[in-house]
């Protein structure tokens, strides 16, 4: 009997303890959930603070370097290099921002690395295609390239017509595409469902929404693809021979060696027997040939 | 009882004394100086390494013991001593330390058979300590060598200053074991003991962790039997600096060759101690000579090998004094790094007609081609071409000098234009009109400095959220449709179906029954269907009222009313057929009503 009583008490105690444990467990879950929800924000806040510091330091170094460029070139160069490293450090943290790319391009330009500057400016233009400051500095960097290759005029016009996606920023295309897409489905739902009172939705409006969604979606898709899988690049080092094949055994394609900063369109990549990667490129005037991948930067 | 106490006291005193003696003896032994020599193996072949560890305990000063000398072997010290020290404390808290230094000597035997080693001698504060001698059995090398080292040069005769591509081949026999199979090339390469090996002129490659080229190859052993090897090749460019035998530095490769392996969770492990092998290359047959002075041509710029040179220039048309970029491309079969640019300032036909700004460029190597770029400026408009430019080199194959010339490049040089700039006094303008500002294209625009703006993510990648949103819309649409249909129920669905098929049903009735009664039935039924009213309950007046409720235009209602009236008249007149009323008019009226209702 005493055992039973003891057992009963014990079970009752366990039950009470169990309830308390359950309540504590619930609270603990709530606390953990709250922590889990807060954790990403805390990490993001920390990242943001660190990036913010890096950007501020980079800007300070850049400003100091610009101020002392004439009297103390060596020191200015060190500061520009420091600024560039900091901007690149921010970019390495998976930050995609046209402003940071633009600033990195400016620092590279100041260091005389026009090829890298062009790469940064062009990458920034992928995000903000109509930014006047980026376009102007890109033109300035392009003017420094020794070998200027002029594209044929008809090609320019044709390219401009085909690439309507560059008329607006990819983010604008994205919002347009989403608005049209959501609008299309909303209107279709209204039209089909009719609720209690039938809603009249003109077919033309539906078609317009769908067309806009497709056009804007395609533009955004193309921009995203161009950003993720670059199909263009810049010759990074001077005296780069454009050859007829992927190896030093091939003849030169053109007589003049390519200089740093010459832009190209990437057609193909292929290794040679020594496992060195080669790019098949097309220059602005349509000439195509092969260069060593290590002598180029992709945008 | 007293005896018992006496015995106990006697025993405890004896025990205490014994303990004290033991402690003193231990302390004495801990502090004693000694030297011992122990080989890692007692039997080895000629191509194996015997490492002798000499341990010196508690010396007054750390001095290297002297190895024994003999014609039968050499003993060389490998690296500095490793020190070990441990502390003990007695019951009074005094601390005793025991220090030992371990020196490692490598035994290189000169003959096979039993070799007696020792003793190693340590002179310490006037005392001389000797290790015990020991014996090692040295056997002939196996017929099949497990480790071989070779240095390969492009030719047996090289020249001072020549850029030579030298290759260090390390051959390791492919280890094979039943149950485990063949060891992979990567595993076998790890058997090479880089820390204890010497790589001579290839040391930088090892330091920079340049991976060797690996090839599986078969070689024949002394008995002519084919043996599988892994060949690891390191390649470096070497510039012999003095005549004589090729100096490649001290190259001695050590490897721990497995004797029995077992497989562990992550890797293979030695189940039996491996053989410590060493091998050295033989470079006696590679000789370095000095480049001969006799017959050395002008324009020689240390190029040794076989070369061709081509020149190109841009632009081909220029004014006097304009810069022309001259590119000289040197192609050769030997490394081009050390070859200097041709000294154009010494080429008289060129310097007569052109100004040369810089001819001391380093040049850029791209594969087997080296390009020198320089700027030249035509001195006068009579210049018609860039003359042939020479490059002299020494051909080590033929052991003689040679000179190659580029082709002349035709040029069109015109007189320089002179621009006269009118000098205008400053501020001498009497015009008060607006001034047109001149934009300066040169220079950069300033950075963007809004940190908040720079931190905004402008990523244009297609994210998971995007994909979810894309999928969510049609799913939501389907969900809404299903929900509404479920909520409306069968009756309402039926009613809606009836409304949507009203015109179709009226058409069917008109076609089926071509009498006035049939047409009347079709018209009133159409209104009932459109309005959701029971068909039998809709009379002419009801139909008009229902149409008015649907905001059907009055002209359509009037037309409908007239038609119904005509049909009723015809029906009551009896025998009215299709000929007495216009079916097309009925159809058009119903269509116009249907359009009006649908629009609403």
């Amino acid at each position: 009997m005493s055992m039973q009583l003891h057992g009963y008490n014990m079970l009752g105690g366990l039950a009470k303890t169990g309830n308390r444990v359950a309540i504590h467990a619930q609270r603990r879950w709530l606390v953990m959930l709250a922590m889990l929800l807060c954790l990403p924000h805390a990490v993001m806040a920390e990242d943001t603070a660190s990036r913010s510091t890096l950007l501020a330091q980079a800007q300070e170094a850049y400003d100091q370097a610009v101020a002392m460029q004439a009297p103390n070139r060596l020191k200015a160069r060190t500061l520009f290099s420091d600024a560039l490293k900091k901007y690149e450090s921010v970019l390495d943290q998976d930050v995609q921002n046209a402003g940071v790319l633009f600033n990195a391009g400016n620092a590279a330009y100041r260091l005389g690395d026009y090829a890298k500057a062009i790469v940064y400016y062009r990458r920034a233009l992928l995000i903000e295609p109509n930014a006047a400051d980026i376009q102007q500095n890109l033109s300035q960097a392009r003017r420094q390239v020794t070998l200027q290759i002029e594209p044929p005029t008809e090609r320019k016009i044709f390219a401009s017509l085909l690439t309507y996606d560059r008329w607006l920023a990819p983010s604008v295309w994205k919002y347009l595409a989403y608005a049209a897409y959501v609008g299309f489905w909303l209107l279709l739902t209204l039209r089909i469902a009719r609720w209690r009172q039938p809603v009249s939705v003109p077919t033309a409006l539906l078609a317009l929404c769908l067309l806009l969604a497709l056009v804007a979606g395609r533009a955004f898709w193309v921009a995203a693809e161009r950003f993720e899988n670059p199909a263009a690049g810049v010759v990074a080092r001077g005296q780069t021979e454009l050859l007829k094949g992927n190896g030093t055994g091939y003849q030169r394609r053109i007589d003049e060696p390519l200089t740093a900063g010459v832009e190209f369109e990437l057609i193909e990549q292929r290794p040679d027997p020594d496992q060195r990667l080669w790019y098949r490129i097309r220059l602005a005037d349509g000439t195509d040939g092969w260069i060593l991948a290590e002598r180029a930067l992709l945008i | 009882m007293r005896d018992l106490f006496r015995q106990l006291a006697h025993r405890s005193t004896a025990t205490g004394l014994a303990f004290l003696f033991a402690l003193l003896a231990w302390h004495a032994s801990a502090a004693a100086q000694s030297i011992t020599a122990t080989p890692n193996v007692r039997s080895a072949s000629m191509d194996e390494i015997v490492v002798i560890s000499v341990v010196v305990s508690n010396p007054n000063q750390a001095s290297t013991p002297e190895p024994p000398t003999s014609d039968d072997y050499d003993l060389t010290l490998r690296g500095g001593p490793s020190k070990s020290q441990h502390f003990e404390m007695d019951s009074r808290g005094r601390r005793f330390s025991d220090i030992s230094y371990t020196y490692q000597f490598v035994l290189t035997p000169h003959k096979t058979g039993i070799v007696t080693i020792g003793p190693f001698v340590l002179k310490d504060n006037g005392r001389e300590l000797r290790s015990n001698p020991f014996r090692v059995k040295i056997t002939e090398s196996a017929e099949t060598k497990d480790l071989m080292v070779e240095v390969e040069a492009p030719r047996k005769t090289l020249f001072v200053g020549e850029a030579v591509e030298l290759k260090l081949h390390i051959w390791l026999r492919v280890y094979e074991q039943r149950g485990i199979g063949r060891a992979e090339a990567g595993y076998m390469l790890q058997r090479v003991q880089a820390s204890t090996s010497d790589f001579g002129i290839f040391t930088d490659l090892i330091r920079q962790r340049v991976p060797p080229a690996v090839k599986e190859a078969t070689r024949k052993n002394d008995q002519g039997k084919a043996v599988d090897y892994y060949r690891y090749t390191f390649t470096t460019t070497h510039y012999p600096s003095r005549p004589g035998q090729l100096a490649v530095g001290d190259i001695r490769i050590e490897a721990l060759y497995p004797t029995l392996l077992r497989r562990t969770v992550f890797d293979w492990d030695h189940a039996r101690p491996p053989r410590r092998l060493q091998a050295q290359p033989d470079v006696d047959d590679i000789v370095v000579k000095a480049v001969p002075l006799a017959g050395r041509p002008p324009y020689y710029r240390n190029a040794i090998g076989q070369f061709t040179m081509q020149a190109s220039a841009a632009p081909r048309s220029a004014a006097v004094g304009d810069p022309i970029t001259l590119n000289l491309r040197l192609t050769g079969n030997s490394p081009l790094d050390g070859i200097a640019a041709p000294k154009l300032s010494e080429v008289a036909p060129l310097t007569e007609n052109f100004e040369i700004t810089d001819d001391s460029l380093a040049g850029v190597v791209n594969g087997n081609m080296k390009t020198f770029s320089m700027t030249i400026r035509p001195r006068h408009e009579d210049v018609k071409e860039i003359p042939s430019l020479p490059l002299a080199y020494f051909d080590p194959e033929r052991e003689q000098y040679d000179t190659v010339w580029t082709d002349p490049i035709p040029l069109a040089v015109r007189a320089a234009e002179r621009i006269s700039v009118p000098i205008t006094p400053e501020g001498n303008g009497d015009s008060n009109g607006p001034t047109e500002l001149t934009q300066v294209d040169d220079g950069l625009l300033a950075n963007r400095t809004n940190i908040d703006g720079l931190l905004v993510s402008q990523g244009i990648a297609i994210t998971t959220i995007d994909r979810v949103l894309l999928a969510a819309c049609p799913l939501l649409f389907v969900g809404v449709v299903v929900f509404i249909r479920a909520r409306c129920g069968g009756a309402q669905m039926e009613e809606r179906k009836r409304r949507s098929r009203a015109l179709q049903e009226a058409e069917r009735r008109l076609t089926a029954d071509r009498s006035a009664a049939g047409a009347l039935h079709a018209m009133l039924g159409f209104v009932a269907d459109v309005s959701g009213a029971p068909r039998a309950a809709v009379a002419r007046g009801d139909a008009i009222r229902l149409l008015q409720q649907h905001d059907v235009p009055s002209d359509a209602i009037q037309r409908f009313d007239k038609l119904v009236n005509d049909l009723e008249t015809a029906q009551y007149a009896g025998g009215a057929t299709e000929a007495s009323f216009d079916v097309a008019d009925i159809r058009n009226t119903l269509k116009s009503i249907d359009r009006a209702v649908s629009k609403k």
Side-chain angles (χ1 to χ4, degrees):
Chain A
M1 180 65 189
S2 72
M3 281 296 286
Q4 278 178 357
L5 191 65
H6 179 69
Y8 172 78
N9 284 342
M10 208 169 77
L11 284 173
L14 272 177
K16 280 180 186 171
T17 313
N19 286 340
R20 279 203 300 274
V21 167
I23 291 162
H24 281 303
Q26 276 181 357
R27 283 181 188 160
R28 201 176 300 148
W29 272 110
L30 283 172
V31 170
M32 281 175 71
L33 190 66
M35 281 172 69
L36 276 173
L37 287 172
C38 293
L39 192 63
H41 294 286
V43 172
M44 278 172 68
E46 199 178 318
D47 284 353
T48 308
S50 123
R51 284 171 198 159
S52 179
T53 311
L54 269 175
L55 289 171
Q57 287 172 349
Q59 187 56 43
E60 194 184 340
Y62 185 87
D63 287 342
Q64 281 179 10
V66 172
M68 67 169 56
Q69 200 172 5
N72 193 343
R73 280 179 184 278
L74 194 65
K75 176 70 179 162
R77 197 173 168 76
T78 312
L79 285 168
F80 280 132
S81 175
D82 186 37
L84 178 60
K85 277 181 194 159
K86 287 194 163 71
Y87 285 127
E88 284 177 339
S89 167
V90 173
L91 291 169
D92 285 344
Q93 293 172 30
D94 211 18
V95 170
Q96 294 172 0
N97 184 289
V100 182
L101 287 162
F102 173 68
N103 292 354
N106 287 351
Y109 180 94
R110 298 282 188 177
L111 284 166
D113 192 345
Y114 303 118
K116 196 181 252 190
I118 290 172
V119 168
Y120 281 130
Y121 290 142
R122 283 193 59 183
R123 208 158 171 76
L125 279 178
L126 289 178
I127 299 173
E128 287 182 16
N130 299 316
D133 52 352
I134 304 174
Q135 283 175 345
Q136 182 158 337
N137 284 10
L138 173 61
S139 305
Q140 175 64 20
R142 280 175 172 162
R143 278 198 288 273
Q144 308 307 317
V145 179
T146 314
L147 187 65
Q148 298 282 341
I149 303 168
E150 188 67 17
T153 316
E154 63 278 4
R155 188 178 152 79
K156 265 184 177 173
I157 295 164
F158 188 58
S160 165
L161 284 174
L162 270 181
T163 54
Y164 75 90
D165 50 278
R166 292 181 185 173
W167 297 347
L168 295 173
S171 54
V172 177
W173 282 124
K174 188 177 180 177
Y175 291 129
L176 264 178
Y178 274 135
Y181 184 72
V182 172
F184 167 77
W185 285 106
L186 195 67
L187 291 174
L188 193 66
T189 309
L190 286 174
R191 182 176 166 136
I192 303 282
R194 291 191 177 182
W195 310 102
R196 288 186 182 173
Q197 291 293 321
V199 178
S200 171
V201 178
T203 309
L205 184 61
L206 267 176
L208 187 69
C209 279
L210 186 62
L211 184 69
L212 186 59
L214 288 173
V215 168
R218 186 254 171 201
F220 176 68
W221 177 275
V222 168
E225 272 297 298
R226 198 181 295 131
F227 199 78
E228 290 300 318
N229 305 309
V234 177
V235 175
R237 290 154 69 179
Q239 303 297 331
T240 298
E241 299 285 352
L242 186 70
L243 303 181
K244 289 183 176 172
N246 58 325
T248 48
Y250 285 93
Q251 296 286 316
R252 289 195 309 278
R253 184 75 175 76
I254 52 172
D255 215 17
E256 299 79 16
L258 302 178
T259 59
V262 170
E263 292 164 74
F264 61 79
E265 189 186 330
L266 181 67
I267 305 171
E268 187 186 348
Q269 13 188 327
R270 204 189 289 174
D272 64 8
D274 296 332
Q275 294 307 311
R276 290 188 304 177
L277 190 64
W278 289 75
Y279 290 152
R280 187 178 171 206
I281 63 168
R282 183 179 293 122
L283 300 176
D285 65 348
T287 309
D288 69 303
W290 294 82
I291 60 168
L292 259 176
E294 66 199 33
R295 301 184 75 83
L297 295 168
L298 293 185
I299 290 163
Chain B
M1 193 66 179
R2 191 179 292 166
D3 288 344
L4 183 65
F5 276 118
R6 195 177 293 147
Q7 276 181 8
L8 279 174
H10 180 70
R11 273 185 194 172
S12 62
T13 310
T15 312
L17 282 171
F19 178 72
L20 191 62
F21 279 124
L23 192 65
L24 286 171
W26 174 80
H27 180 224
S29 71
Q33 292 162 334
S34 65
I35 179 168
T36 55
T38 319
N40 67 329
V41 287
R42 293 282 178 180
S43 172
S45 61
M46 288 289 280
D47 57 350
E48 279 185 68
I49 297 174
V50 179
V51 179
I52 299 164
S53 298
V54 180
V55 181
V56 179
S57 299
N58 302 310
N60 288 314
Q61 57 186 42
S63 55
T64 309
E66 287 175 14
T69 53
S70 167
D71 293 338
D72 296 344
Y73 56 82
D74 280 335
L75 279 166
T76 47
L77 180 67
R78 175 189 281 174
S82 61
K83 180 184 172 185
S84 72
Q85 185 170 15
H86 62 267
F87 297 96
E88 294 289 341
M89 296 187 82
D90 65 5
S91 56
R92 292 182 182 177
R94 287 185 302 181
R95 204 169 71 156
F96 299 95
S97 66
D98 191 5
I99 304 169
S100 62
Y101 296 90
T102 305
Y103 299 84
Q104 289 199 324
F105 289 85
V106 175
L107 172 72
T108 310
H110 296 161
K111 65 161 196 174
T112 56
I114 303 293
V115 177
T116 305
I117 315 288
F120 286 81
V121 179
L122 178 73
K123 288 175 182 166
D124 190 35
N125 272 3
R127 281 184 66 192
E128 198 172 88
L129 298 172
R130 288 169 175 273
S131 67
N132 289 329
F134 57 88
R135 291 193 294 183
V136 177
K137 185 181 175 186
I138 305 296
T139 57
E140 282 287 353
S141 300
E143 289 168 359
T144 303
K145 289 185 176 172
D146 294 332
L147 172 70
M148 288 181 286
V149 179
E150 291 169 350
V151 170
E152 183 191 330
R155 294 180 308 278
K156 294 293 178 193
T157 306
L158 307 175
F159 288 89
V160 173
E162 178 186 4
V164 188
E165 208 166 65
L166 291 183
K167 291 179 178 177
L168 171 69
H169 300 299
I170 300 174
W171 297 79
L172 264 174
R173 187 171 66 81
V174 179
Y175 179 78
E176 207 163 358
Q177 184 179 314
R178 188 174 293 172
I180 285 186
R182 289 159 71 90
E184 291 176 356
Y187 176 81
M188 291 305 291
L189 181 61
Q190 287 171 12
R191 301 310 100 206
V192 176
Q193 302 298 294
S195 59
T196 54
S197 300
D198 297 313
F199 290 89
I201 58 168
F202 298 90
T203 305
D204 283 346
L205 298 176
I206 309 301
R207 279 203 197 116
Q208 291 162 13
R209 298 176 183 275
V210 176
V214 185
K215 187 183 174 188
E216 194 171 342
T218 305
R219 286 181 71 141
K220 288 188 175 170
N221 66 4
D222 297 343
Q223 302 298 313
K225 186 184 166 191
V227 182
D228 288 344
Y229 283 89
Y230 287 124
R231 192 186 75 181
Y232 306 94
T233 303
F234 295 92
T235 307
T236 190
T237 303
H238 180 61
Y239 298 87
S241 56
R242 56 186 168 80
Q245 190 185 322
L246 177 67
V248 292
D250 184 17
I251 298 179
R252 189 185 53 78
I253 308 298
E254 276 189 35
L256 291 177
Y257 197 85
T259 50
L260 184 68
L261 294 176
R262 63 167 172 242
R263 195 184 287 278
T264 63
V265 177
F266 301 107
D267 204 352
W268 291 351
D269 194 12
H270 292 284
R272 200 187 293 155
R275 293 170 64 217
R276 189 178 284 271
L277 304 176
Q278 73 168 350
Q280 288 176 299
D282 181 11
V283 289
D284 293 347
D285 57 342
I286 304 174
V287 180
V288 179
K289 288 183 180 176
V291 178
L293 285 171
R296 179 174 290 184
Y299 318 126
Y300 176 67
R301 300 300 306 273
N302 304 329
I304 303 175
Q306 289 167 335
F307 300 93
T308 57
M309 189 164 75
Q310 287 175 306
S312 64
R316 299 282 184 86
S317 171
V320 172
D322 277 359
I324 295 171
T325 304
L326 175 64
N327 292 309
L328 294 175
R329 289 191 186 80
L330 200 62
T331 314
N333 61 355
S334 65
L336 299 160
D337 298 322
I339 296 173
K343 198 81 177 166
L344 298 186
S345 56
E346 292 172 0
V347 183
L350 186 72
T351 52
E352 279 168 12
N353 295 325
F354 293 90
E355 237 178 70
I356 300 160
T357 52
D358 187 7
D359 62 353
S360 57
L361 296 174
V364 179
V365 177
N366 186 4
N368 61 349
M369 186 187 293
K370 188 166 189 173
T371 307
F372 300 101
S373 280
M374 55 206 82
T375 303
I376 58 173
R377 293 168 192 271
R379 291 179 188 275
H380 51 84
E381 56 198 275
D382 298 333
V383 175
K384 301 290 178 214
E385 63 174 25
I386 297 172
S388 293
L389 302 171
L391 174 81
Y393 62 88
F394 180 75
D395 185 348
E397 301 277 352
R398 296 187 294 146
E399 299 194 13
Q400 66 179 48
Y401 290 98
D402 209 342
T403 304
V404 286
W405 294 83
T406 63
D407 294 331
I409 303 167
L411 276 185
V413 179
R414 60 184 184 276
E417 290 175 12
R418 291 173 189 279
I419 302 166
S420 58
V421 182
I423 299 166
T424 311
E426 210 171 303
N428 190 22
D430 50 3
S431 165
N432 291 326
T435 308
E436 195 176 321
L437 299 177
T438 310
Q439 297 280 339
V440 177
D441 290 335
D442 216 24
L444 286 186
L445 291 178
N447 275 6
R448 294 187 186 177
T449 54
N450 177 10
I451 301 284
D452 292 337
L454 295 178
L455 288 170
V456 172
S457 176
Q458 295 177 309
I460 54 175
I462 295 164
T463 61
T464 313
I465 297 171
D466 297 332
R467 292 191 180 95
V468 168
L469 193 60
L470 285 173
C473 285
L475 288 175
L476 206 63
F477 166 75
V478 171
V480 167
V481 170
V482 168
F483 173 76
I484 287 171
R485 291 201 170 179
R487 204 174 165 194
C488 287
Q492 284 190 14
M493 288 303 295
E494 193 58 39
E495 194 176 305
R496 289 178 59 176
K497 200 183 284 178
R498 191 175 149 204
R499 273 183 210 167
S500 65
R501 291 182 181 173
L503 190 65
Q504 202 178 343
E505 182 64 20
E507 179 64 35
R508 192 187 63 75
R509 282 179 191 154
L510 279 173
T511 314
D513 186 354
R514 295 175 180 273
S515 67
L520 183 65
H521 188 57
M523 288 189 78
L524 294 175
F526 170 77
V527 176
D529 288 347
V530 164
S531 311
R535 278 194 191 118
V538 176
R540 182 179 159 199
D542 302 324
I544 299 300
R545 199 183 66 253
L546 286 170
L547 291 176
Q548 283 168 344
Q549 280 175 7
H550 281 296
D551 292 338
V552 175
S554 56
D555 59 326
I557 296 174
Q558 282 172 11
R559 207 160 61 243
F560 180 86
D561 189 34
K562 183 177 175 301
L563 280 169
V564 170
N565 185 36
D566 292 348
L567 287 171
E568 279 178 346
T569 310
Q571 183 188 9
Y572 295 125
T577 58
E578 196 176 344
S580 61
F581 56 88
D582 188 356
V583 178
D585 196 16
I586 293 172
R587 283 198 179 105
N588 289 336
T589 306
L590 292 183
K591 277 179 187 170
S592 66
I593 292 170
D594 185 62
R595 273 199 297 276
V597 171
S598 299
K599 212 177 273 181
K600 189 188 171 191

